[in-house]
Amino acid sequence: QVQLGESGGGLVQAGDSLRLSCAASGSSFSSYTMGWFRQAPGKEREFVAAISWSSGSTYYADSVKGRFSISRVNAENTVYLQMNSLKPEDAAVYYCAASLRGTYPKREIIYDYWGQGTQVTVSS
């Protein structure tokens, strides 16, 4: 069982940066594939980024590639999402998620545990 809690969201201007954090409690954090998803009002939740248990592999949505960076510190049970050059279309509630399955990390269905989300608002 893993409990996840996101932080770091807020209101920023277009072009600014934010770093989201997701703290995990429970056992075996280092065994989990970790992902970030987001959901804007009126839209379905979508994949943003994921990282394998060893940090050996990272995955990104095309819309954020080159601007966002996912990382993790297993010793701290924390995964981060560094977001640079933010755009108004990046505004959403951002969720972190954990999965013991390493395959198909971009697919929401593989994730077993979810945080409560943190709001990111980007003004133009």
Side-chain angles (χ1 to χ4, degrees), residues 9-123:
L11 171 63
V12 297
Q13 292 186 332
D16 285 351
S17 298
L18 271 180
R19 188 176 79 157
L20 305 184
S21 300
C22 175
S25 60
S27 61
S28 304
F29 171 77
S30 60
S31 301
Y32 288 84
T33 294
M34 299 298 297
W36 285 96
F37 290 77
R38 66 187 182 187
Q39 187 168 23
K43 296 187 177 182
E44 294 187 352
R45 189 157 56 186
E46 65 175 0
F47 169 77
V48 176
I51 187 167
S52 64
W53 66 272
S54 65
S55 303
S57 298
T58 55
Y59 311 85
Y60 296 95
D62 288 343
S63 60
V64 307
K65 205 171 291 183
R67 299 187 298 120
F68 289 13
S69 177
I70 188 171
S71 61
R72 66 190 296 165
V73 180
N74 286 339
E76 297 177 358
N77 281 14
T78 303
V79 62
Y80 300 98
L81 184 68
Q82 178 67 43
M83 306 186 295
N84 298 328
S85 302
L86 282 160
K87 303 176 181 180
E89 53 262 43
D90 294 318
V93 177
Y94 282 71
Y95 299 90
C96 73
S99 172
L100 279 173
R101 289 162 281 186
T103 54
Y104 307 109
K106 296 183 179 182
R107 295 190 183 179
E108 185 174 333
I109 195 171
I110 76 158
Y111 292 89
D112 305 297
Y113 305 103
W114 293 83
Q116 81 287 353
T118 186
Q119 178 72 50
V120 173
T121 304
V122 185
S123 63

